[in-house]
């Protein structure tokens, strides 16, 4: 299985367009050892020819342009993206569908809860009906394995996550199990397994079982501390409010990762306030010592 990280930042990207926090200034001015990052998305493939796009960020057009694997040279119009899977209905994971309208119809896999949000509060499915067949919905049922037309060697399972629904959703603060899912992706030829969970609020027993089985974890690195937005002065939401388990809390993600056998533990969906973005920071060094990697745009993982 091949995995390309298209965007390793959380919503807003890094630097965020309107932000002058020390991280955003540091990357903008080139005074911090780090690299700019676009918003959260990966692509996976079984052969490197056709790819499954997992989440479609508002930066998708730049991400495609920066990813030679996704460019198809033998067609007048088209890319190597054969199917799309959404893990939730957050703006940073779905808004890029609007930018892909010239390529409709697209085959889009998501749960019925995500589809409901995307036909009501943020009606992209409804809007894009007016573009050549729009988005063709394939319903994901949590915990039932499925495969998509391209990359038939990959078996996908969506695992419900305890997180939150988007701010615009009528389910904000009272999400249903299908509002956020992790993707467990197994290569049926090699047996290798990836767990992708860019928005993880609180692990439960089922998720822990899957996390334990994964050879590679690509997982929620949004915040270092739960109160980081307030501490930086950029906002008031905590990680808990937003459905993100912070890394360094007592029962945080670092503690959890240290109990898991995966060969690779890689953080993704990193918010611009997170000190791990500074490659010279003590927090980044602490991760390195624990064998935890920080993903970057363009990172390729051969699993
Ligand atoms: C999140 O991951 O919590 C959201 O993407 C936040 C947002 O909508 O900006
Ligand atoms: Mn997000
Ligand atoms: Zn910032």
């Amino acid at each position: 299985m091949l995995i390309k990280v298209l965007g390793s930042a959380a919503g807003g990207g890094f630097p965020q367009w309107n932000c002058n926090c020390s991280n955003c200034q540091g990357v903008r001015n080139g005074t911090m050892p780090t690299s700019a990052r676009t918003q959260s998305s990966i692509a996976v493939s079984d052969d490197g020819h056709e790819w499954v796009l997992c989440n479609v960020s508002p930066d998708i057009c730049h991400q495609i342009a920066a990813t030679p694997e996704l460019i198809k040279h033998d067609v007048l119009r088209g890319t190597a993206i054969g199917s799309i899977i959404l893990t939730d209905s957050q703006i940073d994971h779905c808004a890029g569908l609007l930018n892909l309208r010239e390529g409709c119809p697209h085959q889009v896999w998501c749960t019925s809860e995500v589809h409901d949000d995307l036909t009501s509060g943020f009606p992209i499915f409804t809007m894009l009906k007016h573009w050549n067949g729009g988005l063709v919905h394939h319903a994901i049922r949590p915990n039932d394995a499925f495969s998509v037309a391209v990359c038939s060697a990959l078996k996908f399972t969506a695992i419900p996550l305890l997180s939150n629904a988007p701010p615009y959703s009528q389910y904000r603060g009272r999400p249903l199990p299908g509002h956020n899912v992790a993707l467990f992706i197994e290569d049926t030829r090699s047996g290798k397994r990836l767990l992708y969970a860019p928005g993880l609020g609180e692990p439960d027993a089922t998720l822990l079982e899957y996390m334990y089985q994964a050879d590679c974890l690509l997982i929620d690195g949004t915040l270092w501390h739960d109160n980081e937005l307030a501490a930086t002065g950029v906002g008031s939401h905590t990680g808990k409010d937003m459905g993100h388990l912070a890394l360094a809390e007592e029962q945080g993600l670092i503690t959890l990762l240290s109990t898991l056998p995966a060969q690779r533990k890689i953080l993704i969906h990193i918010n611009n306030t997170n000190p791990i973005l500074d490659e010279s920071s003590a927090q980044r060094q602490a991760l390195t010592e624990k064998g935890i990697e920080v993903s970057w745009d363009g990172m390729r993982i051969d699993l």
Side-chain angles (χ1 to χ4, degrees), residues 10-12 90-93 166-167 172 198-199 222 242-244 269:
Q90 295 276 3
I91 287 177
D92 58 344
H93 285 159
R172 180 71 165 178
T222 308
M242 298 185 294
H244 296 292
H269 192 279

Side-chain angles (χ1 to χ4, degrees), residues 53 57 90 95 99 158 180 187 197 229 252 291:
L53 183 60
S57 98
Q90 295 276 3
N99 303 82
N180 297 273
D187 188 319
L229 299 185

Side-chain angles (χ1 to χ4, degrees), residues 274-287:
N274 194 325
I276 63 173
L277 287 167
D278 179 349
E279 290 162 18
S280 64
S281 65
Q283 292 89 343
R284 180 63 165 268
Q285 202 183 324
L287 291 183

